[in-house]
Amino acid sequence: MEIKKLHNWNLSYSQAIALQKNLCKKVRLIKLKNQPKTIAGIDCAFSRDKKRIVACVVLLKLPGLELIETENAVQKLTFPYIPGLLSFREAPACIVAVEKLKNEPDAFIIDGQGIAHPRRLGLAAHLGLFFDKPTIGCAKSRLTGSFEEPALEKGYYSPLKDGRDIIGAVVRTRTNVAPVFVSVGNKCLLEDAIKITLDCTTKYRIPEPARLAHQLVSTLKLKT
């Protein structure tokens, strides 16, 4: 698949902040025209020596969630840990992994934030601009914003707000289990992101594409 070349990764802290503020304006919140037939999940982890980032991508068919293919990449870390700038550490390896796919995903679910980010450009939004595809952020924890707990049954959700802005949803993907934090990454609406997340969730808390990617990256990092 063709991936956009938005910028290089040799950036200072101030340059990265400025870039986020510029790129967030390019995120498109538009309703999905067609339901995706394939969906990729992406997750990252650090190598044992903490000097490299490991990324895995899993491609599944929809609606059955049959596995099509997997790929991975290992990249040297070139950006320091700075809260709010995680994508500058993880995105390069994610992009390399996706470039290896033989089949083109229709959409992505990424373990990370979309626009539910202080500068509206979390990992899923950042990657969504590179991929130019419908992209969903599905995080295990809140980065910013406030919310009320949704009902305990699977399928319920509540808005994640930053002031008056709705920046995501707190979605119960499994009854009586902690919710996930869903936000738009690119080229979909929040209602689309919620639906796809729930459609991709089986008996686990994490939607299957991201869950399988996490399993693979957890195994691979032990060998790296």
Side-chain angles (χ1 to χ4, degrees), residues 85 151 224:
L85 295 177
T224 304

Side-chain angles (χ1 to χ4, degrees), residues 8-19:
N8 65 54
W9 299 99
N10 184 22
L11 299 165
S12 67
Y13 168 78
S14 59
Q15 287 172 327
I17 295 289
L19 185 61

Side-chain angles (χ1 to χ4, degrees), residues 1-132:
M1 90 178 228
E2 184 178 351
I3 296 176
K4 291 188 173 183
K5 308 298 182 185
L6 296 178
H7 59 82
N8 65 54
W9 299 99
N10 184 22
L11 299 165
S12 67
Y13 168 78
S14 59
Q15 287 172 327
I17 295 289
L19 185 61
Q20 283 185 328
K21 292 178 179 179
N22 180 55
L23 288 179
C24 73
K25 301 171 187 175
K26 300 180 184 296
V27 171
R28 297 176 65 195
L29 276 65
I30 55 174
K31 186 168 181 60
L32 276 179
K33 293 181 180 179
N34 301 298
Q35 288 300 307
K37 296 181 179 179
T38 61
I39 188 159
I42 300 176
D43 197 10
C44 297
F46 295 110
S47 62
R48 287 184 295 175
D49 62 9
K50 307 296 183 184
K51 295 180 179 180
R52 289 162 291 172
I53 190 79
V54 183
C56 286
V57 55
V58 174
L59 184 62
L60 305 179
K61 289 183 181 178
L62 290 174
L65 297 174
E66 296 95 346
L67 180 65
I68 300 173
E69 65 172 313
T70 67
E71 286 292 352
N72 64 77
V74 180
Q75 297 280 294
K76 182 180 178 180
L77 276 172
T78 59
F79 199 86
Y81 172 73
I82 301 172
L85 295 177
L86 181 67
S87 64
F88 292 90
R89 286 165 68 84
E90 297 189 350
C94 295
I95 290 169
V96 172
V98 170
E99 285 176 330
K100 294 180 180 179
L101 289 174
K102 298 177 178 66
N103 299 277
E104 184 169 341
D106 292 332
F108 291 85
I109 291 184
I110 295 166
D111 183 5
Q113 309 291 345
I115 64 169
H117 180 276
R119 289 175 293 280
R120 305 296 185 262
L121 199 85
L123 177 63
H126 203 162
L127 286 173
L129 293 177
F130 274 93
F131 300 153
D132 197 28

Side-chain angles (χ1 to χ4, degrees), residues 165-183:
D165 296 334
I166 295 176
I167 57 174
V170 186
V171 182
R172 193 79 66 181
T173 53
R174 187 178 178 189
T175 299
N176 291 324
V177 171
V180 295
F181 295 80
V182 175
S183 57

Side-chain angles (χ1 to χ4, degrees), residues 151-156 172-176 198 201-203:
L152 293 175
E153 291 78 18
K154 177 179 178 177
Y156 282 86
R172 193 79 66 181
T173 53
R174 187 178 178 189
T175 299
N176 291 324
L198 289 170
T201 302
T202 57
K203 60 182 179 179

